[in-house]
Amino acid sequence: MPALKTVTLPDGSQMPALGMGSWHLAAGRRPLAEEQAALNLGLSLGMRLIDTAEMYSNGASEQLVARVIADKRQEVFVVSKISPQNALSERSIRHSCERSLRNLNTHYMDMYLLHWPAGVKDLQTVVATFEALKQEGKIRHWGVSNFNVKDMQRLYSLENGKNCATNQVRYSLSDRSIETLKLPEWSEQNRMPLMAYSPLGSGGSLLGNPLLAEVAKKHQSTPAAIAIAWTIRNGWTISIPESGNINHIKDNASAAAIALDQDDLNKLDAAFPARYISHWSGA
Ligand SMILES: NC(=O)c1ccc[n+]([C@@H]2O[C@H](COP(=O)([O-])OP(=O)(O)OC[C@H]3O[C@@H](n4cnc5c(N)ncnc54)[C@H](OP(=O)(O)O)[C@@H]3O)[C@@H](O)[C@H]2O)c1
């Protein structure tokens, strides 16, 4: 199983730069076998990371991931997330972690994220419990999601808060809000990789943009592959496009091999300027 590109985590270990999301999978939109085949194909094409969460389809997304990783656990980087309402005490965090492990039918997660900050009263307890789960081998790394710079500064002020391995945030050509909030600068300065979610604009109008089609034509590629390649252009961002369609999966996997040049980047900057679009935290 090829790993086309990786990102270095703060502890020096490697994480695949391109993976697959699963928010809308196992939700009855397609036969499960079709989505399972799509995820399997993505893995075989080098997208060796699958992102899920306890809240996606009430655990059914994690159960779908279990079927996909069953015969190749060690080759897949599995990310899941705990919802803030379950992150209120050590006991409830441990309960959620055990349930996710059961759903995923594995004894460890490669990355365990706090899904968003709102509603978490005692972040120190979350960090301390994540650290304990790491020591016990139930999770390999932990991180956060939907944290802005202020949230990250608060995290860094806590004991072991700097052991955070990543921050998963909404980031695409059509939503560059995190740039206006100076999150990429802070993250780069603090060597904190970002995971870009909704890199294709989450089913919006992004992929129909004519400029994207023009850049895609130059690279003999597709708008989706260019949009994904843009999110992983800097070597320290991970991208997790979602698809349950095998043709789209092929397309998405091809993004890892695309190197956008300065002319492409300038054109994309002009067509998709960084501006604050919406409140991105807590999505
Ligand atoms: N941490 C958080 O708060 C958070 C929030 C949102 C999402 N996420 C994670 O990020 C993942 C991705 O985000 P997302 O699902 O919002 O949006 P996305 O990946 O930007 O877009 C997914 C949509 O694009 C379509 N698509 C995928 N590949 C395509 C291609 N090559 N050509 C044309 N259309 C294509 C998919 O349909 P088909 O299935 O038909 O291909 C689907 O409708 C989620 O699954 C989830 O794991 C995390």
Side-chain angles (χ1 to χ4, degrees):
M1 218 182 262
L4 298 174
K5 251 182 194 169
T6 58
V7 164
T8 304
L9 296 177
D11 70 356
S13 55
Q14 302 293 307
M15 176 168 174
L18 185 52
M20 296 176 282
S22 66
W23 180 15
H24 311 91
L25 303 185
R29 291 199 317 167
R30 292 186 176 92
L32 267 186
E34 202 175 313
E35 296 180 340
Q36 189 176 338
L39 291 173
N40 266 314
L41 177 66
L43 291 174
S44 72
L45 294 175
M47 296 196 284
R48 282 197 310 107
L49 180 161
I50 306 181
D51 178 81
T52 182
E54 63 174 359
M55 71 171 256
Y56 296 165
S57 302
N58 279 325
S61 165
E62 289 181 327
Q63 288 163 5
L64 170 66
V65 175
R67 292 166 61 155
V68 173
I69 64 174
D71 58 346
K72 43 180 136 10
R73 174 66 190 94
Q74 287 173 10
E75 293 158 71
V76 187
F77 194 101
V78 176
V79 182
S80 193
K81 314 183 196 81
I82 181 169
S83 306
Q85 66 269 25
N86 293 331
L88 298 178
S89 66
E90 173 171 356
R91 194 159 167 262
S92 65
I93 295 167
R94 284 183 173 280
H95 180 77
S96 271
C97 180
E98 291 299 336
R99 189 176 46 208
S100 285
L101 289 172
R102 270 197 311 279
N103 279 339
L104 289 161
N105 198 19
T106 181
H107 64 273
Y108 71 95
M109 285 177 262
D110 296 278
M111 181 75 78
Y112 197 36
L113 306 178
L114 173 63
H115 210 144
W116 62 86
V120 175
K121 297 217 167 48
D122 184 1
L123 192 56
Q124 183 66 77
T125 294
V126 177
V127 172
T129 310
F130 280 180
E131 282 289 308
L133 292 169
K134 201 167 75 175
Q135 292 302 323
E136 293 159 22
K138 297 190 182 231
I139 61 176
R140 294 264 159 97
H141 305 91
W142 63 265
V144 294
S145 178
N146 295 301
F147 271 43
N148 60 26
V149 170
K150 220 168 127 196
D151 298 322
M152 289 307 293
Q153 285 166 338
R154 185 161 70 97
L155 177 65
Y156 265 40
S157 72
L158 302 175
E159 187 182 359
N160 290 325
K162 289 185 180 164
N163 289 346
C164 175
T166 190
N167 181 12
Q168 183 177 122
V169 291
R170 190 190 307 163
Y171 191 42
S172 69
L173 278 165
S174 56
D175 190 345
R176 301 175 64 171
S177 298
I178 61 162
E179 293 181 35
T180 70
L181 299 170
K182 309 284 179 213
L183 185 65
E185 282 103 312
W186 187 93
S187 305
E188 196 168 6
Q189 277 159 17
N190 289 278
R191 306 165 78 88
M192 173 63 51
L194 291 177
M195 285 181 79
Y197 74 67
S198 306
L200 298 171
S202 204
S205 59
L206 171 64
L207 299 184
N209 183 283
L211 191 274
L212 209 49
E214 189 187 313
V215 177
K217 194 169 170 202
K218 172 180 151 187
H219 288 269
Q220 294 177 310
S221 181
T222 64
I226 298 297
I228 296 166
W230 181 85
T231 58
I232 56 172
R233 69 199 178 284
N234 59 21
W236 57 272
T237 303
I238 297 128
S239 195
I240 48 168
E242 175 192 306
S243 180
N245 170 306
I246 53 168
N247 291 322
H248 289 170
I249 286 279
K250 285 181 200 159
D251 209 6
N252 299 350
S254 72
I258 297 173
L260 298 172
D261 63 28
Q262 199 53 52
D263 183 49
D264 301 327
L265 295 175
N266 292 344
K267 280 186 179 148
L268 292 169
D269 271 341
F272 303 97
R275 58 194 164 87
Y276 186 79
I277 289 179
S278 61
H279 179 62
W280 62 274
S281 179

